Every structure is written in C-alpha cells, then in structure tokens.
Amino acid sequence: MSRVGDLGGRLYRGEVSFNFVGRQRLWYTISGLILLISVVALLTRGLNFSEEFKGGSSFQFPANSSTSQGAIAQVVNSAGGGQATVQHLTGRTSQWVVQTASLVPDVTTQVASAISSAFHIPVNQISVSFVGATWGGQITTKAIEALIAFLIVIVIYLTIAFDWKMAIAAFVALLHDIVITVGVYALVGFPVAPATVIGLLTILGYSLYDTVVVFDKVRENTAGLLTTTRSTYSEAANLALNQTLVRSINTSLTALLPVASILFIGGALLGTGTLNDLSLVLFVGMLSGTYSSIFIATPVLADLKEREPQYKELAIRVKRRAAGGRAAQRTAATVTTPGGAATAVTTATATPVRTDAGT
C-alpha cells in the first residue's frame, strides 16, 4: 500500500489525527486577515470589469515589429479615443486589443484610420466592435440575481437535508470563498468577464460539494453521541474531518491539475480569452473552496453545536470520565505502604485449576 493510502487508512481509523477543530482560532485568524485584505482591496482598487460589463469600443488588429503598447495608446488618444487599455494577445497569431470608452461612429472611424496609417495595417484587418453599457449592466444584474438565488436554494436544501446549523456553516464557507475570490481579482487586477461569473458559480458548487461530504460524515459520527461519553461533538466532528481529509485533498488536486493546465499552458499558447478567464476564476476559487471546506465549515459547525445545552452537558461528562480514568490509572500504578514508601502494584491473573471428579 502506498504511503498516502496508508495515511488515509490510519486517519479513517483514528490512529492519526490532525486537530483541525481544536485550532479553530488559528484558522479564523488566518481567514480574517485574508478577508480583511480582500475587502480593503475591493474598496480601494475596485474590480477591473471587462468591456462586456462597462461598455465601450474595441479595436483588434495584427501585431508587428513596429507597434508597441505605449505607441498604440498615444495614437488612439491623439485620434480622439481618449485613454485606452492596450493588451497583447499571444497564440497562433499575435494580436493587439485596444479598449476605449464608448465612441461615436465618426470618432471610431478616425481611431481606426489613425491605427492603420501609424502602423501600416490595412483597415480591413482592424476589427472594430462596440458593447453598450446597458448590456453590461444587465449581465451584472442577472449575475447578482443568480448568486442570491443560488445561496437561498442551498441554505433551504441543507436545512432540509441536514439541519439549519449545518446550513449556516456551509453558508459562511461559501461567503468566505466569494469574498476571497473577488478580493484576489481586485488585488491583482484580473479582468472580470462574463466567463468569470460562470466560473464563480461553478466553484461555489464545487466548494459546497466538498463541504457536504464532510458534513455527511459528521452526521454519521455524531448519531447517538448524546447517549455515550466516548467523545464530545467537536471531537467527533474532527474525526469525520480527518476521515475525509485524504479524499478531499485527492479530489481537489484532481480538479486543479486540468484547470492549471488550461490556465498556464493554454494561456501561454492561446493568450487571454474566454477560456483563460474561466480557468483563472476556477483555479483561485477551488483553492479557496478546499481551504474553507477543511478549516472553516466544520470548525464553525462545531462551535455552533457546542453552544447547545445537551452538547455542553456531554462535554462535561466526557471531561469527568477522562479525569476519572486518569485518576484510576494513577491509583492503580502506586500504593503507599504503612512505612510511607510507595510500592508499585502488580496485578496477577489467577489461572483456574480444573478438578475432574472420579479420575
């Protein structure tokens, strides 16, 4: 058996255990710092919305040795196009993409003519497109509506399938993933395109799937827990998390590898585009989702459950049992003789002697 497989078996049997739930303050502190950075970046830098969201004019044309990003921006500005965003797309063909604010038809023609004459590019090789701000606003509105509907449906489903505290813990983990993913986009300046919204909804489903698997094991481990004193709710939840840990990591790595291939290898060959936008948000979101399903969702659930009176009483009974067991072990280990000396006690097992009558 491989080392990973052996570790998974030992984790499942409880022979090895990582105390994720018991160190929830550490995970909350780490997540709090990341969330703070994300919120500050979002408020100060904002999101870099693509042309589809904010509207504007776009000019795309082949790149040659006589063009440069600064020169293109200067030519567009001089022709009346204003401040422009210039991107270099690499792939099978090298292309320049220039995005400006919404331009009237006359100014659009002037900009295209200026690019053609400045860089010796035929006008018919300059692709001009226009996206209205109204359409971009509709995309934003529909995306927010879809996100709200998704969260509401998920909370209702988890409340019915599990209980409302598990629904709250999963909801907190989902919000955690949303804020961090959006914050990374604001901090780094990644462009937010329609494909980004699609990817965001996809990673929320992926993160929720991983969380539900852990919660299902938690429910199995805590069934009938109140009738025993073998462990507290937090200990049972931590055992469930360890039992599904290797599975969660393997699932995450299996999903991240093809996404990383699309993002890094495909992006280098094909350049930026819809595929790159989608793989980027999937990569960032899957990392955040894996983290939240392990370090956030289950610790939050355990905190909520430990507040219930029956689980508080269970924790007291488990503590008393553990203290009594340790005291009994100490008492059995040594005994004080009349002279005051401590003598170790050896327990002997008597072997019964069988007597057969009539032999």
Side-chain angles (χ1 to χ4, degrees):
M1 182 182 294
S2 65
R3 292 184 178 180
V4 176
D6 183 58
L7 177 61
R10 296 176 66 191
L11 286 169
Y12 191 87
R13 294 187 297 269
E15 298 173 2
V16 178
S17 180
F18 300 102
N19 192 10
F20 294 108
V21 176
R23 297 175 180 174
Q24 69 268 44
R25 290 186 179 180
L26 174 62
W27 318 134
Y28 294 163
T29 301
I30 295 174
S31 293
L33 292 175
I34 298 175
L35 290 172
L36 179 62
I37 294 173
S38 300
V39 172
V40 171
L42 186 61
L43 294 177
T44 56
R45 296 174 60 89
L47 294 174
N48 179 23
F49 288 101
S50 65
E51 177 189 349
E52 291 86 354
F53 283 98
K54 60 186 179 181
S57 300
S58 176
F59 303 85
Q60 184 169 344
F61 52 92
N64 55 50
S65 58
S66 63
T67 56
S68 65
Q69 188 174 18
I72 294 173
Q74 184 177 0
V75 168
V76 171
N77 189 26
S78 301
Q83 297 296 325
T85 301
V86 183
Q87 292 180 321
H88 187 206
L89 304 184
T90 58
R92 294 182 179 179
T93 60
S94 182
Q95 300 277 326
W96 287 104
V97 177
V98 182
Q99 295 180 351
T100 67
S102 299
L103 304 177
V104 297
D106 293 341
V107 177
T108 301
T109 303
Q110 292 177 9
V111 172
S113 299
I115 293 174
S116 175
S117 58
F119 305 110
H120 309 289
I121 299 171
V123 177
N124 58 2
Q125 293 186 11
I126 301 176
S127 175
V128 182
S129 60
F130 173 78
V131 178
T134 302
W135 187 73
Q138 291 176 351
I139 294 179
T140 305
T141 302
K142 295 297 182 182
I144 294 175
E145 291 175 354
L147 179 61
I148 294 174
F150 172 83
L151 294 176
I152 292 175
V153 171
I154 287 305
V155 170
I156 294 174
Y157 169 75
L158 291 178
T159 301
I160 297 173
F162 295 95
D163 64 59
W164 66 271
K165 290 187 177 179
M166 285 189 174
I168 290 178
F171 182 75
V172 170
L174 289 177
L175 290 181
H176 173 275
D177 296 340
I178 294 173
V179 175
I180 288 181
T181 304
V182 174
V184 169
Y185 267 74
L187 184 65
V188 182
F190 294 144
V192 179
T196 306
V197 179
I198 299 173
L200 182 63
L201 295 177
T202 302
I203 62 168
L204 292 181
Y206 177 87
S207 174
L208 185 67
Y209 165 77
D210 215 16
T211 301
V212 167
V213 170
V214 178
F215 281 2
D216 188 64
K217 192 62 181 178
V218 171
R219 181 173 58 179
E220 179 183 336
N221 286 2
T222 56
L225 187 65
L226 293 173
T227 60
T228 67
T229 56
R230 65 179 185 269
S231 65
T232 64
Y233 189 95
S234 294
E235 292 170 346
N238 191 72
L239 175 61
L241 190 54
N242 278 272
Q243 289 174 329
T244 58
L245 179 62
V246 173
R247 179 192 178 281
S248 298
I249 294 176
N250 288 337
T251 303
S252 300
L253 288 177
T254 304
L256 280 171
L257 286 176
V259 172
S261 299
I262 297 173
L263 176 61
F264 298 110
I265 300 177
L269 295 176
L270 302 177
T272 58
T274 302
L275 190 62
N276 208 39
D277 295 334
L278 182 60
S279 59
L280 178 61
V281 68
L282 287 176
F283 187 81
V284 175
M286 282 183 178
L287 286 177
S288 176
T290 302
Y291 172 83
S292 67
S293 64
I294 297 175
F295 299 100
I296 300 298
T298 305
V300 169
L301 172 63
D303 283 342
L304 293 174
K305 284 291 188 179
E306 291 288 4
R307 298 173 186 268
E308 297 181 8
Q310 62 268 31
Y311 288 113
K312 287 183 178 180
E313 183 180 350
L314 174 63
I316 294 174
R317 296 203 309 267
V318 172
K319 186 177 181 180
R320 287 175 178 172
R321 179 187 178 186
R326 289 192 295 268
Q329 290 175 356
R330 290 193 298 268
T331 302
T334 59
V335 63
T336 304
T337 63
T343 305
V345 175
T346 302
T347 303
T349 302
T351 304
V353 178
R354 180 180 176 180
T355 304
D356 294 330
T359 59

